[in-house]
Amino acid sequence: QVQLVESGGGLVQAGDSLRLSCTASGRTFSSYAMGWFRQAPGKEREFVGSISGSGGTTYYGDSVKGRFTISRDNAKNTVYLQMNSLKPEDTTVYYCAAKRGIVSVTPTRFDYWGQGTQVTVSS
């Protein structure tokens, strides 16, 4: 069982940056691929970024490519999402997720989820 706790959300202005963190419980963090997703009310969960257990492979959703960067520190059991050049349309709840094995971009393939953190970008 893996427990995930996100932090770092908040209210920022368009063009600002924000870094989300997700800390996992357990001693085998490096064996989990990690992902960030977001979901607005009434919409499907959207893929933001994912990273392999070693950190050597990353994927990004088209809407954030070039602006967001996912990274991880396995010594700290933490995955990060650096968000730059934020836009009002980035406003929503962001979720951290974990899965054993290979990295994925599909939310249904992830086994564990955090509670989410709200990001609000004002224009």
Side-chain angles (χ1 to χ4, degrees):
Q1 189 77 7
V2 175
Q3 293 183 325
L4 304 173
V5 179
E6 301 104 330
S7 61
L11 172 63
V12 297
Q13 294 187 333
D16 284 352
S17 297
L18 203 59
R19 189 177 79 160
L20 305 183
S21 299
C22 172
T23 300
S25 63
R27 295 177 291 178
T28 59
F29 182 66
S30 61
S31 67
Y32 288 86
M34 302 297 295
W36 286 98
F37 298 83
R38 63 189 185 184
Q39 187 170 21
K43 294 189 176 182
E44 292 187 355
R45 193 156 290 189
E46 178 188 3
F47 170 69
V48 175
S50 59
I51 188 168
S52 61
S54 67
T57 301
T58 57
Y59 297 104
Y60 295 96
D62 288 341
S63 61
V64 306
K65 203 171 294 184
R67 299 188 298 124
F68 291 11
T69 302
I70 188 170
S71 62
R72 66 190 296 159
D73 185 338
N74 286 342
K76 296 182 178 180
N77 278 20
T78 300
V79 62
Y80 304 99
L81 185 68
Q82 178 66 43
M83 304 185 294
N84 298 332
S85 303
L86 282 162
K87 305 175 181 179
E89 50 263 45
D90 294 319
T91 296
T92 189
V93 179
Y94 286 72
Y95 297 90
C96 170
K99 70 176 294 294
R100 291 185 182 273
I102 62 172
V103 63
S104 175
V105 303
T106 306
T108 55
R109 295 189 180 274
F110 285 78
D111 304 306
Y112 305 100
W113 293 83
Q115 80 289 350
T117 186
Q118 176 70 43
V119 172
T120 303
V121 184
S122 63
S123 57

